[in-house]
Amino acid sequence: MIGRKGSPMRKGGRVFILLGVTLALAAAVLAIFAFRDTSETDEPEEPEVAMVEVVEAAEDIAVNHVLTEDDITVVEVEEDTVSPGTARSPGQVLGLASSGDIVDGQRVLMGNLVTPGLSHIVGDGMRAVALPIDRVNALGGMVRAEDHIDLIYSIAFTTEDFYASLRELIEESEQEAPPAEEGEEGAEGEQPEAPAAFPGFPGMEELPLPFAPGSLVKVTTSEGQEPVTKILLQNVRVVRVVAGDITVDENNQIVAAEETTTEENGEDEEAEEESADPEAEGAESDRLPSADMLILEVDPQSAELVKFILDYEGQFHVALRGPDDTEEVTTAGSTFRQLIEDYGLPMPMPATMPELDAGEEE
């Protein structure tokens, strides 16, 4: 009956059953946690969209137009939609000219922009002319693009002798004086005298001596010329300033320069070495820069005037205006006569030598 009372096999089976249930529960718990972690880590995340800034046209831009801040705007777009060569910042496009039409909202491509030439800068109906200048007229190099200047012109004329011309006019007037009409009554039958050709100057003998009060004096230079100075052009816009082979704009930035050869570069290096030598510093400091030129924007009539000034004898001077001064003024010009009558320029007068005593004569 021992087998009925308790079998060792039955007790061992229960233990195995309990152990199996426990392991199954543990495996289930571990599986739940494993699946939960896997579901959380393997869940796909939405990738972040990269945004970049690009330049777009704020309005329709015509061909050959030089871009300004009012022509463009900066917007953010998805990076994947940006084409290669698209402008990313205003600094890349400002001051450049469009090679074709750009419509409002269109992205600006660098391939559609070119460096502007003079034809892009000169206004409609205007002309660009070159004016060669020296260091003085360049105001020591202080004239810049977008400045406005006045152009003063001086020239000396050679005229006929004043007194000889006046004598001829008097003689011609006396010869052409009409004869007295018959029947005109005069004192004791005398015919009335013909009116004087020049009132107050009936004859050259009555003219005051030169330099005497009331005399007519022609003041000339040592070469017998009569000079005159006048402002001929006012408020002229300077488009570019050219210094040697270098052209600079209103920001003093180089916009054009010619390439130099190796030989020229070698000479430049030698010149720099010489300038570093203390003995050569004096010679370098005395050198003036090569003749520069201003590129001016003028109307066609003024372009002809500039050409005339440069072709014929005379001198011109540049006068710089203030940035906000656009008023055109009326001037009388300058001659020796204006200096004497308006400014009181003293004239040399005849002098009488005092009589000397006998002792002084010895």
Side-chain angles (χ1 to χ4, degrees):
M1 312 307 294
I2 296 174
R4 288 184 179 180
K5 200 169 192 178
S7 174
M9 294 181 63
R10 288 183 179 180
K11 291 181 180 179
R14 291 174 184 172
V15 172
F16 281 116
I17 291 172
L18 290 174
L19 182 60
V21 171
T22 303
L23 291 174
L25 290 174
V29 172
L30 291 174
I32 291 171
F33 281 106
F35 281 116
R36 181 180 296 176
D37 294 338
T38 304
S39 62
E40 290 179 357
T41 56
D42 293 345
E43 203 173 276
E45 295 182 358
E46 293 185 2
E48 293 184 3
V49 179
M51 304 294 289
V52 295
E53 291 185 343
V54 296
V55 178
E56 291 184 355
E59 57 187 10
D60 292 342
I61 301 174
V63 62
N64 293 329
H65 176 73
V66 179
L67 272 62
T68 64
E69 292 182 354
D70 297 332
D71 300 321
I72 60 173
T73 183
V74 178
V75 297
E76 279 194 351
V77 298
E78 295 182 7
E79 186 176 16
D80 295 341
T81 66
V82 179
S83 302
T86 302
R88 300 294 186 90
S89 66
Q92 290 180 277
V93 301
L94 291 179
L96 298 180
S98 58
S99 58
D101 294 330
I102 304 176
V103 299
D104 185 7
Q106 179 180 343
R107 295 178 185 175
V108 179
L109 299 177
M110 296 304 299
N112 295 336
L113 304 176
V114 295
T115 301
L118 285 178
S119 59
H120 297 92
I121 303 172
V122 178
D124 295 339
M126 306 297 282
R127 304 291 184 267
V129 296
L131 184 73
I133 57 172
D134 55 16
R135 186 174 177 82
V136 174
N137 274 318
L139 276 69
M142 300 303 292
V143 177
R144 293 286 181 264
E146 298 305 325
D147 284 343
H148 286 71
I149 63 171
D150 294 346
L151 198 60
I152 309 172
Y153 184 59
S154 296
I155 194 168
F157 299 97
T158 302
T159 60
E160 297 177 338
D161 181 76
F162 176 80
Y163 285 112
S165 301
L166 182 59
R167 182 181 293 107
E168 292 176 2
L169 289 174
I170 292 175
E171 292 175 354
E172 291 175 2
S173 300
E174 290 177 348
Q175 293 174 1
E176 296 175 0
E181 296 182 3
E182 295 182 0
E184 248 187 284
E185 295 183 2
E188 297 181 358
E190 293 181 359
Q191 297 293 332
E193 294 183 0
F198 293 89
F201 297 93
M204 292 301 297
E205 66 280 354
E206 296 185 12
L207 285 175
L209 293 174
F211 300 108
S215 63
L216 299 178
V217 179
K218 182 178 77 169
V219 183
T220 64
T221 64
S222 59
E223 288 140 3
Q225 296 177 328
E226 301 175 57
V228 60
T229 297
K230 185 75 171 66
I231 294 179
L232 297 184
L233 291 178
Q234 298 189 41
N235 199 28
V236 178
R237 175 188 171 216
V238 178
V239 178
R240 285 286 184 266
V241 178
V242 181
D245 297 333
I246 299 174
T247 304
V248 295
D249 60 11
E250 66 275 12
N251 299 319
N252 204 26
Q253 299 295 319
I254 297 176
V255 296
E258 294 183 3
E259 297 182 357
T260 57
T261 62
T262 306
E263 182 179 353
E264 291 173 342
N265 290 333
E267 293 177 356
D268 293 340
E269 293 176 359
E270 292 178 1
E272 292 178 0
E273 292 176 358
E274 291 177 2
S275 62
D277 185 2
E279 296 180 359
E281 286 181 2
E284 285 291 332
S285 61
D286 294 334
R287 294 182 184 176
L288 294 178
S290 58
D292 300 340
M293 71 175 66
L294 303 180
I295 308 300
L296 307 179
E297 181 189 61
V298 295
D299 57 66
Q301 179 63 46
S302 299
E304 293 179 351
L305 183 58
V306 172
K307 174 73 168 125
F308 185 88
I309 289 174
L310 297 178
D311 283 350
Y312 296 98
E313 295 181 1
Q315 297 179 345
F316 64 87
H317 193 79
V318 171
L320 182 64
R321 282 177 170 253
D324 301 322
D325 184 4
T326 59
E327 180 183 2
E328 293 195 5
V329 297
T330 302
T331 61
S334 296
T335 64
F336 280 138
R337 178 175 177 177
Q338 266 73 35
L339 294 180
I340 296 168
E341 296 181 353
D342 299 339
Y343 296 96
L345 181 71
M347 291 295 298
M349 301 291 290
T352 302
M353 294 297 295
E355 294 183 2
L356 302 178
D357 296 336
E360 292 179 352
E361 290 180 358
E362 294 177 359

